[in-house]
Amino acid sequence: MPGSERNPLVLGRVIGDVIDPFTRVFPFRVIYNGRKVNNGCDLRPSAVSREPRIEVGESDMRTLFSLIMVDPDSPSPSNPTSREYLHWLVVNIPGTTNASFGQQIVAYESPQPTVGIHRMVMILFRQPSRLTVYAPGWRQQFNTRDFAEYNELGLPVDAVYFNCQRESGTGGRRFF
């Protein structure tokens, strides 16, 4: 993938651990309490306790999107046996709007990591049509790739991630 050495999704291992390489087609914005989330930024659980505002732009209201938020590092980055932990699932989001206009399948659950630094990944997919999706009976071991394949979503159209650790933690994720 050209430019992958500078792509924060590659450097943060989001591409590989959660999703396959894709081309950013429909950018979206994730905003917590007025702060735009940039790839790799650090946010504490207290800053992400409520669901963010998700703005889907550069399309029209006839285009529908699905949003998935997962933690690929649950319960700990060194032993992610719950990979991927599903924090939020919204489908049928009309373009040029925000996630509140979509159908929430799995309610937002605030990240509360207890050990290590966790990547919280939000992935946006363009839907081929309106989806009828049933909530999985679990949050642990969700698989973004399987969900996308089952619902014929194809590759993501955008993704963003932030790092989160317990309030008393220090430092950030480092990649050398």
Side-chain angles (χ1 to χ4, degrees), residues 87-145:
H87 280 272
W88 198 22
L89 175 59
V90 184
V91 299
N92 301 323
I93 304 167
T96 72
T97 67
N98 65 63
S100 66
F101 288 89
Q103 178 187 3
Q104 184 169 260
I105 303 300
V106 175
Y108 181 82
E109 183 179 308
S110 174
Q112 294 293 324
T114 57
V115 176
I117 301 167
H118 292 241
R119 295 165 293 166
M120 299 296 152
V121 184
M122 294 192 199
I123 308 109
L124 188 70
F125 291 93
R126 182 176 186 262
Q127 298 174 195
S129 61
R130 181 166 289 283
L131 292 181
T132 301
V133 176
Y134 300 98
W138 68 94
R139 288 183 184 257
Q140 296 181 22
Q141 297 173 332
F142 179 83
N143 189 295
T144 300
R145 287 181 180 100

Side-chain angles (χ1 to χ4, degrees), residues 40-97:
C41 71
D42 295 318
L43 294 173
R44 300 288 185 181
S46 59
V48 296
S49 61
R50 294 191 174 174
E51 68 184 50
R53 178 171 173 83
I54 304 293
E55 298 174 350
V56 180
E58 298 188 24
S59 65
D60 60 57
M61 289 192 68
R62 293 172 299 195
T63 306
L64 298 173
F65 296 90
S66 293
L67 175 74
I68 298 170
M69 179 179 172
V70 295
D71 175 358
D73 301 317
S74 180
S76 75
S78 61
N79 188 25
T81 57
S82 295
R83 174 179 288 171
E84 302 161 21
Y85 187 89
L86 180 63
H87 280 272
W88 198 22
L89 175 59
V90 184
V91 299
N92 301 323
I93 304 167
T96 72
T97 67

Side-chain angles (χ1 to χ4, degrees), residues 1-12 15 21:
M1 185 160 124
S4 64
E5 65 280 350
R6 293 194 180 121
N7 183 337
L9 296 171
V10 172
L11 293 174
I15 291 178

